[in-house]
Amino acid sequence: MAAHPHHPVSLRGPSAQRPGAPALLVDLQVDDFVAALSAGLKSTTWPRFGWPATLPFTQLAQLGAPRALFQPIHRRFNLVLLDTCCAQFGTPRLDPRKIESSGFVVRRWIGPDAHAGMPSAAELAHHGHWQAWQERDGDGLGWKGFTSAQQFDSDPDLTRRPQARTGNAVVDAALAARAPQAAAEATQQLYALAPEVCDHAQRTLLFGLVPCSEAQRMQRGMAVDYSTVRAPGPDHDDFIAHLSPYLRRTGSARDLPAVGSQFDASWLAEEDALAADAPDPGTEVLLRAQFTAFIRQLALEFGLGAETDGEALVPLLDELRLTTIDRSEATVRFRVEGAGDFLLACARVVHKADAPGVTIPDQLAAIPAGWTDRFVDAALAVLEAHSAEASILEGRYDDDQSLFAIRAFVRVRGEPGCPTRLVWSEMTPLYAVAPWHASTGAPQARIALPSLNAASLKAMTPNVAFELPPELQNLLARNSPKAMLAGKAEKGSELGLGWICSFSIPIITICAFIVLNIVLHLLEIIFHWLPFVKICLPIPRKK
């Protein structure tokens, strides 16, 4: 007897013409989002075929620039909504008992730049434009690309994927034991809506909560990836432009400021300051500031003179030639030497204020052709070493410039003796994840500060204690606030007793609020931000 063929199953969003249309993403601003979703669907009249023309929810746009989804910290919740049906005439709803399991995956877009507009359907369907967040034994492994269309459509559960077999159980077990442990794609759960909601819509409706924040973190090997800086391109050019003119200006020698004087800690305390990449200034004072910025860049950015990796750049810097003019005798003598030791000694002044001063020579010779590119390679090697030491924890959605999309799936039970079938939906439109500091326009939290009268202050007894080590206690005890503001505070001794100091959290909050207002008004000169960051409304006094 011939086997009865399975009829196809569709997992779709709101489209009557496309059986595998992408799921609908809705944005809800209520805490009980399941109740709000159910009530909205029950209040809508559903047509016999397809989906309603409109739904009472804010939805992710199918066209235009990708929209940002807010995080739960913003008290905004994003849900994925779809239905599953039999893909035959009349599209009858799929019996929920046929669904063995269901879920969805979040994938990251790495295709052509799509921040200004949505990619085409063909681009969204191409496996090479996506990455999956992979996990192994519950630990995140990061975003990994797809190597083939087959992998793109494979079951995210590794145990459900077809396995090659030899027909010999012993050989199969040995091969499985030797095979490298594969990684699985992270999935999120889909849930069936309440029966009364599905009966009203005459659909088998599924929903899931779209993750926009990540509690799980994976340790990234390097805090910063400098691979794009090494390759020719805009990032490489920007890095060179960021260097001090002392490291990239070719063609002519340059006179150094304050020739014959000592470069010491007093140079670092001068009020005039310049960015390291500032162009050549015109006055002697600013020339000193430019040279100081140059030394700071070598010391603080590239680690010259530090305890670790402090001399990695010295051989390269020694290729730069310094000229010192000796006018102490009747004849003028010129002494030319490498700049490595001089710049190393200057950098040590930045790291240690008591380091000996360094006599400044007269002139730095023109930078040799090709030297800056070699310096960039050496400097990046130092930065990569520091980046590896400063490894960070990274979550899936930490980058607010990344774009994502959702692809849902259901596993449909087959007839007795037949395997379970995996059915995918199409990719949703792209979206971004708004950073935590984004403003949503939602009602704001209200924090009441206590009154500053005697009775109120007396009631604010300490309710938090700080344990101070001896050096911090001595720093506070031996220096007045005026000395600290003037930068004349003396370092506290590590000898002595530690202390426990108790404070009132409301008092701390009041002090922080007063300091905040002072800083806001001081920086108003620069940012002109008070009309936006501080809005005060009078309230009637309570009787």
Side-chain angles (χ1 to χ4, degrees):
M1 186 173 72
H4 179 71
H6 290 300
H7 60 261
V9 172
S10 173
L11 183 63
R12 64 180 186 175
S15 174
Q17 292 75 32
R18 296 165 60 188
L24 179 70
L25 267 67
V26 299
D27 177 10
L28 296 176
Q29 301 185 46
V30 294
D31 291 340
D32 194 349
F33 49 82
V34 177
L37 178 67
S38 301
L41 295 175
K42 289 181 66 176
S43 66
T44 302
T45 301
W46 286 73
R48 183 173 180 181
F49 302 105
W51 282 54
T54 60
L55 287 170
F57 311 114
T58 302
Q59 304 173 23
L60 187 71
Q62 300 283 336
L63 301 174
R67 209 192 79 198
L69 301 186
F70 290 103
Q71 303 182 37
I73 194 174
H74 300 115
R75 305 193 70 79
R76 297 276 284 269
F77 302 94
N78 304 282
L79 305 179
V80 56
L81 179 66
L82 34 73
D83 81 305
T84 181
C85 61
C86 300
Q88 54 184 341
F89 180 75
T91 59
R93 57 189 291 195
L94 182 69
D95 185 346
R97 292 173 297 182
K98 287 281 188 180
I99 301 176
E100 180 192 280
S101 56
S102 59
F104 65 93
V105 295
V106 179
R107 291 174 175 172
R108 185 167 73 170
W109 175 258
I110 56 171
D113 182 40
H115 287 85
M118 209 65 68
S120 65
E123 289 177 319
L124 289 173
H126 194 281
H127 70 274
H129 293 160
W130 297 100
Q131 290 179 326
W133 182 266
Q134 294 189 348
E135 298 177 336
R136 182 182 294 131
D137 296 332
D139 296 327
L141 301 178
W143 293 103
K144 309 292 183 182
F146 294 97
T147 58
S148 65
Q150 180 182 4
Q151 186 188 24
F152 185 70
D153 293 329
S154 295
D155 197 307
D157 186 346
L158 296 178
T159 62
R160 294 176 177 269
R161 296 180 184 178
Q163 303 295 325
R165 302 187 184 279
T166 65
N168 186 305
V170 176
V171 174
D172 290 342
L175 292 175
R178 294 183 181 183
Q181 189 177 11
E185 184 173 4
T187 61
Q188 310 295 325
Q189 185 68 41
L190 281 177
Y191 305 92
L193 279 164
E196 61 269 20
V197 179
C198 294
D199 291 342
H200 171 79
Q202 289 299 299
R203 307 287 189 278
T204 299
L205 294 169
L206 306 175
F207 81 97
L209 179 63
V210 178
C212 290
S213 60
E214 181 64 83
Q216 183 190 55
R217 290 288 187 267
M218 58 163 286
Q219 182 170 334
R220 194 165 74 180
M222 297 179 65
V224 182
D225 182 6
Y226 290 102
S227 58
T228 59
V229 182
R230 285 192 175 279
D235 290 343
H236 181 79
D237 297 340
D238 289 344
F239 187 84
I240 291 179
H242 163 68
L243 297 177
S244 167
Y246 282 93
L247 297 171
R248 56 183 166 86
R249 196 179 84 170
T250 60
S252 61
R254 56 188 302 132
D255 295 331
L256 298 180
V259 173
S261 65
Q262 295 284 303
F263 179 84
D264 53 26
S266 64
W267 286 56
L268 307 175
E270 293 180 357
E271 294 184 359
D272 293 289
L274 290 175
D277 58 352
D280 294 338
T283 66
E284 178 68 18
V285 172
L286 292 180
L287 284 172
R288 286 170 60 101
Q290 183 193 42
F291 181 79
T292 303
F294 164 49
I295 300 300
R296 284 183 187 273
Q297 184 174 65
L298 291 176
L300 302 180
E301 290 189 34
F302 305 133
L304 186 67
E307 294 182 0
T308 58
D309 300 326
E311 300 183 10
L313 299 175
V314 172
L316 195 61
L317 293 171
D318 216 38
E319 296 180 19
L320 303 180
R321 313 309 292 171
L322 288 173
T323 300
T324 302
I325 303 176
D326 186 359
R327 301 180 178 86
S328 59
E329 301 179 4
T331 58
V332 178
R333 296 185 178 183
F334 295 84
R335 186 174 74 253
V336 180
E337 58 189 345
D341 290 340
F342 166 72
L343 295 176
L344 177 62
C346 290
R348 285 173 176 158
V349 173
V350 176
H351 292 289
K352 295 183 178 181
D354 58 350
V358 189
T359 303
I360 299 177
D362 291 74
Q363 199 174 67
L364 179 68
I367 295 176
W371 183 89
T372 298
D373 288 331
R374 291 190 293 117
F375 177 83
V376 168
D377 290 338
L380 287 176
V382 173
L383 292 176
E384 286 169 343
H386 293 169
S387 180
E389 295 172 0
S391 59
I392 61 175
L393 295 176
E394 180 183 33
R396 270 192 278 185
Y397 312 108
D398 287 353
D399 182 8
D400 59 10
Q401 295 301 309
S402 292
L403 297 176
F404 307 91
I406 285 173
R407 196 181 188 197
F409 63 87
V410 292
R411 299 185 183 98
V412 183
R413 292 188 175 93
E415 300 301 325
C418 297
T420 300
R421 289 174 289 160
L422 178 69
V423 179
W424 285 103
S425 72
E426 295 181 10
M427 304 297 297
T428 65
L430 296 177
Y431 64 87
V433 173
W436 64 270
H437 54 77
S439 177
T440 67
Q444 50 197 329
R446 186 169 177 173
I447 300 173
L449 293 178
S451 300
L452 290 182
N453 54 51
S456 178
L457 292 175
K458 195 177 289 187
M460 287 185 272
T461 56
N463 52 10
V464 62
F466 295 91
E467 184 174 344
L468 280 65
E471 56 267 30
L472 179 55
Q473 167 61 24
N474 292 333
L475 174 70
L476 297 174
R478 297 179 182 181
N479 296 282
S480 66
K482 183 177 180 181
M484 290 187 179
L485 290 174
K488 298 179 180 179
E490 297 180 3
K491 183 179 178 181
S493 171
E494 297 182 3
L495 302 177
L497 298 175
W499 291 73
I500 291 181
C501 297
S502 299
F503 290 91
S504 165
I505 290 181
I507 292 292
I508 294 174
T509 306
I510 291 173
C511 293
F513 185 77
I514 293 172
V515 173
L516 170 65
N517 276 270
I518 294 172
V519 173
L520 285 177
H521 283 82
L522 288 175
L523 295 180
E524 168 70 5
I525 303 171
I526 302 172
F527 298 115
H528 306 289
W529 58 9
L530 280 182
F532 313 106
V533 301
K534 180 181 178 183
I535 301 174
C536 295
L537 302 174
I539 56 176
R541 182 170 180 173
K542 296 179 181 180
K543 304 296 184 182

